[in-house]
Amino acid sequence: MPSDPVQALADEPVDHRFKGLPPDAEHAGLTVGALAAEARDLYTGGFTTPVLTLDADALEHNLTALGAYSSRHHLAFAPHGKTCMSPQLFRRQLEHGAWGITAAVPHQARVYRAFGIQRIFLANELVDPAALRWVAAELAADPAFRFVCYVDSVRGVQLMDRALRGQPSVIDVVVELGAGEGARTGARTDEDCRAVADAVADAGTLRLVGIAGYEAEVPGADPSSVHAYLRRLTSLAVEFDKAGRYSPDVEEIVVSAGGSAWFDAVADVFAELPELSRPVLKLLRSGAYVSHDHGWYTRLTPFNRIPEEGGLRPAFRLWTQVVSRPTPTQAFVNAGKRDVAYDLGLPQAELVRDALTGEERPATGVRVVKLSDQHTWLETDSAEDVQVGDWVALGMSHPCTIFEKWPLIPVVQADGTVTDYVRTFF
């Protein structure tokens, strides 16, 4: 393994794997780092459409905003890495104060470890024997590595214990409290949580270190119901401490929650936690903030409720090109379902860049009405709104499904200069 695997990403060749990059860069045998060093202009430097970009200023703004918010509210922060799956962005999150990175599945944790992540919170019950043995081996090989995962069933605990017998490490776990009937994962009742905790105590291969959950799954979530669920979570944390359920050698108790829609409620309720027998790691896990978006999270972000605490900026822009204008009210651009996130709504036309003059203007009168595999259908108010060859910038919802479609993403300065490239591993 390279001494710095994140820096080594700059040594990858620019080739056919990466959509939208200048073809001449491959012909010249450039690496990603060499292409970045050329600081090409996005619009005149040979990039082909469609091409997804990240706004450098918006990225830095968002990283700073959640780092500062977490610090201000005395929260540890383990942003969910499934959003971007980018080691470069993980590093920047850690540089902005993150405690570690959250994962959902073993593959993600393996990517994290390949790029040196030392603290992983896996927000799922992990019952795959091969994955459990891999975690145990990682812990044994690196005493500085910290790993925590969910447990939410007695059977799950039994399966974990069976897979880990004879392995060199004990795995830290937190009981997941489900968010209610009809919600996603998690033990549904307090009594179920107690039974899971008892099962952990009977398993010599696991160590109970805390309580966790995901408040966005509260059915019909609103401020009242989300706060009530989070108070159930913290009450269980307190009860388990008083009852001596946490392993006696645990140095800190983990209490974790927090997606991208309710981190203000998490901050409110976690601030109410009384002093426990050991220090408490109050762990927030929001992930979508890093790029934000132009729709779904723009509407959901807690900063809409607490504007005095800050705000986030959409960092993505998908530049497409008009390839057909068959009628005055219809146009087609050359990106579709293979390139565009659409699971939380159709994209929005944001900007038009004139193919002849390079002039940019708001995409007034231009609407996305449908997606095909390789085309986006546009409806226009007049024949002058777009012309064949014009570049059209689309804004999209849901960062997780935007990042996953693009293995290498140019990072663009305000003047259009591309100064970096973000690599993803999905």
Side-chain angles (χ1 to χ4, degrees), residues 17 25 39 66 86 151 158 215 243 247 280 312 322 332 341 380 394 419:
R17 294 171 297 164
L66 255 291
S86 170
V151 287
Q158 292 169 342
E215 72 291 334
S247 298
V280 178
L312 300 172
V322 178
F332 293 86
T380 61
L394 302 181
T419 55

Side-chain angles (χ1 to χ4, degrees), residues 102 167 192 194 247 296 309 315 338 385 420:
T102 295
Q167 295 300 307
D192 290 339
R194 296 181 191 107
S247 298
W296 185 260
E309 291 262 28
R338 305 291 176 88
D385 291 333
D420 199 4

Side-chain angles (χ1 to χ4, degrees), residues 19-20 47-52 318-324 331-340 370-378 389-394 406:
K19 299 187 286 186
F47 292 86
T48 64
T49 57
V51 59
L52 183 70
L318 178 65
W319 283 104
T320 66
Q321 193 166 29
V322 178
V323 293
S324 182
F332 293 86
V333 296
N334 61 346
K337 294 178 182 178
R338 305 291 176 88
D339 315 292
V340 176
K370 184 178 176 180
L371 294 174
S372 298
D373 280 354
Q374 303 289 184
H375 293 91
T376 295
W377 299 51
L378 302 181
D390 288 350
W391 282 28
V392 178
L394 302 181
W406 292 84

Side-chain angles (χ1 to χ4, degrees), residues 140-193:
D142 183 357
F145 175 41
R146 179 86 193 273
F147 179 88
V148 181
C149 72
Y150 282 178
V151 287
D152 80 347
S153 64
V154 171
R155 179 178 171 84
V157 170
Q158 292 169 342
L159 289 169
M160 294 175 76
D161 183 50
R162 184 171 71 172
L164 289 167
R165 288 173 194 163
Q167 295 300 307
S169 305
V170 171
I171 289 181
D172 287 349
V173 297
V174 291
V175 174
E176 183 195 6
L177 171 66
E181 290 304 317
R184 201 163 63 187
T185 57
R188 285 295 187 261
T189 68
D190 292 5
E191 191 53 44
D192 290 339
C193 289

Side-chain angles (χ1 to χ4, degrees), residues 74-78 99-100 119 121 146 148 174 209-211 251-257 270 273 276 278-284:
H74 308 290
L75 299 169
F77 189 27
W99 170 89
R119 291 172 177 159
F121 185 97
R146 179 86 193 273
V148 181
V174 291
V209 300
I211 302 285
E251 295 180 357
E252 62 182 3
I253 296 166
V254 178
V255 183
S256 180
F270 281 16
L273 263 168
L276 301 184
R278 281 153 280 187
V280 178
L281 183 73
K282 302 174 183 179
L283 196 60
L284 182 69

Side-chain angles (χ1 to χ4, degrees), residues 223-224 226-236 268-269 272:
S224 177
V226 168
H227 279 76
Y229 163 73
L230 290 167
R231 289 192 175 103
R232 275 188 65 204
L233 185 77
T234 54
S235 293
L236 266 176
D268 289 345
V269 175
E272 301 169 355

Side-chain angles (χ1 to χ4, degrees), residues 116-151:
I117 302 300
Q118 287 295 86
R119 291 172 177 159
I120 297 174
F121 185 97
L122 196 145
N124 254 329
E125 186 167 69
L126 182 59
V127 293
D128 184 296
L132 286 163
R133 290 192 292 268
W134 172 79
V135 172
E138 288 289 302
L139 290 166
D142 183 357
F145 175 41
R146 179 86 193 273
F147 179 88
V148 181
C149 72
Y150 282 178
V151 287

